[in-house]
Amino acid sequence: MPVKVTSALFACGVLLASLTAAMPAEAAAISCADTDLPVSGPGLPPLVPGAPATLHGRLCLPAGSAPDTVQLLVHGGTYNSAYWDLPYQPERYSYQRDMAANGYATFAVDQLGAGRSSHPLSLPLSVWASAESLHEAVGHLRAGHVGGVSFAKVVIVGHSVGSGVVAVEASTYHDVDGVILTGITHLPALPVLALGAALGLQPALLDGQLSRLGSDPLYFTTKPGARAGLFYAADDADPGVIAADEATKDQVSVPGMGTVALFGIVLPATKGITAPVFQVVGEKDVLFCGLLALRDCSNAGVLHAQEAPYYADPSKLSTFVLPGAGHSVALHENAAEYRNATRSWLRDRLAVAPQGYHSIG
């Protein structure tokens, strides 16, 4: 009998060990948790006073003690925070999980009007209202209101329309230690943008996927199938990613997008940024690169020369071009190159070292 019991216990131990070894490394290496933060909502005084709003976000941390630096991630128009944590092959495409696995903390928010954040009226949801909510999020991160961690440094990261909001936030409040702008140059391809808006956008209330939100008529989204041509370079894109992108698409305030385009991009808010900046584009971004944008995005050096005049101190500007990629750089097949470049910039320019390394592949 003792022999049988011992054998059974040994077998159970072997089984437990094999199950533990088979667990995804990500599960043991990182932790992600959602939280809601109180922020100021937009208004149209004196007719429509601003009301309290909620900013939803997801904090992802590496294993072990929490880093003292966090990246505040801000998605683009018609996206939500899923842009940074796409529910498709996360070991390859999730910016948040890859950063955590490599020792960096991130907090990805749903901008006001998108995802699980408050959905105020679209008309007052300007670039300044969005920037104010992000400024308040920076304060929450520093005060320990997110995950119980008081972050000493905050690096704000934007994509596309989100980059315009980030530029306004950083130049207005001067409350961040670094700025990362992706999917943006200061001379958009206006004919492509106009054609894309005319043929690729529609009111969210008319969209079969988003009509359930009951949004007002000035919230727009992409038409079914439009995202592939607008946001991706076909030779560097996985059809599964594009399908997941379509499935998680969201809405954007048209007035908000207009104020971002004018005051965040064309009239360069970046002139007022005093922190170091890392600007990233895809080589084949049809919205911000090429002949119609008067922008050569063939390499980082050429991009830097073209973009430097839009910054008060060009010596604080670093640039990176993701070869072969389209607009949504985080979701292309070679996005790991962009994430690696981002980590190199964090280490070299901001002295932000990784907390530790834990493979999720």
Side-chain angles (χ1 to χ4, degrees):
M1 180 67 71
V3 174
K4 291 183 179 180
V5 172
T6 302
S7 299
L9 290 174
F10 177 77
C12 289
V14 171
L15 177 60
L16 179 61
S18 65
L19 289 174
T20 303
M23 287 176 61
E26 176 193 6
I30 73 173
S31 62
C32 294
D34 290 6
T35 190
D36 292 319
L37 300 174
V39 296
S40 301
L44 288 173
L47 299 177
V48 182
T54 297
L55 201 66
H56 178 84
R58 172 170 294 171
L59 176 69
C60 287
L61 297 171
S65 57
D68 65 358
T69 301
V70 65
Q71 298 176 57
L72 173 57
L73 309 179
V74 185
H75 60 81
T78 74
Y79 278 101
N80 51 44
S81 58
Y83 175 78
W84 306 104
D85 190 21
L86 196 73
Y88 175 81
Q89 295 187 12
E91 72 283 356
R92 184 170 187 179
Y93 294 106
S94 173
Y95 184 98
Q96 282 201 278
R97 295 175 191 277
D98 182 67
M99 283 292 170
N102 283 276
Y104 292 88
T106 59
F107 183 59
V109 296
D110 292 324
Q111 289 203 66
L112 291 179
R116 286 186 277 175
S117 290
S118 298
H119 291 186
L121 291 173
S122 61
L123 187 58
L125 190 51
S126 66
V127 63
W128 303 285
S130 296
E132 182 182 19
S133 70
L134 294 179
H135 166 61
E136 292 173 350
V138 171
H140 285 303
L141 288 165
R142 293 192 186 276
H145 299 160
V146 181
V149 182
S150 297
F151 292 101
K153 291 184 178 180
V154 178
V155 178
I156 193 166
V157 185
H159 171 64
S160 189
V161 169
S163 288
V165 177
V166 162
V168 171
E169 195 284 335
S171 63
T172 301
Y173 298 101
H174 303 284
D175 59 349
V176 295
D177 301 276
V179 178
I180 301 177
L181 306 175
T182 74
I184 191 175
T185 68
H186 285 88
L187 287 177
L190 294 178
V192 179
L193 286 173
L195 188 62
L199 301 180
L201 296 180
Q202 65 181 0
L205 60 83
L206 300 179
D207 187 78
Q209 187 173 322
L210 298 183
S211 59
R212 57 181 172 75
L213 298 177
S215 301
D216 68 63
L218 291 181
Y219 274 113
F220 272 51
T221 190
T222 50
K223 292 180 179 178
R227 302 177 84 80
L230 291 173
F231 301 153
Y232 292 89
D235 292 341
D236 191 24
D238 181 339
V241 167
I242 298 174
D245 187 342
E246 288 277 1
T248 56
K249 73 176 184 179
D250 217 304
Q251 62 184 13
V252 64
S253 160
V254 172
M257 191 162 53
T259 58
V260 168
L262 181 57
F263 297 101
I265 302 174
V266 178
L267 300 178
T270 49
K271 276 284 190 182
I273 298 176
T274 54
V277 177
F278 187 46
Q279 186 173 343
V280 179
V281 296
E283 178 190 7
K284 297 182 178 180
D285 185 341
V286 298
L287 301 181
F288 287 94
C289 295
L291 181 62
L292 295 177
L294 302 177
R295 275 292 176 268
D296 180 354
C297 297
S298 59
N299 64 73
V302 172
L303 179 66
H304 188 281
Q306 296 170 120
E307 289 292 300
Y310 297 92
Y311 293 87
D313 185 354
S315 69
K316 291 186 176 182
L317 172 66
S318 303
T319 53
F320 178 78
V321 174
L322 184 60
H327 182 60
S328 293
V329 289
L331 301 180
H332 281 73
E333 290 183 330
N334 59 340
E337 296 179 34
Y338 144 59
R339 298 192 300 265
N340 288 335
T342 300
R343 286 188 283 268
S344 294
W345 178 81
L346 289 169
R347 289 192 298 267
D348 298 342
R349 295 303 299 265
L350 301 184
V352 177
Q355 190 67 24
Y357 176 77
H358 310 276
S359 172
I360 63 172

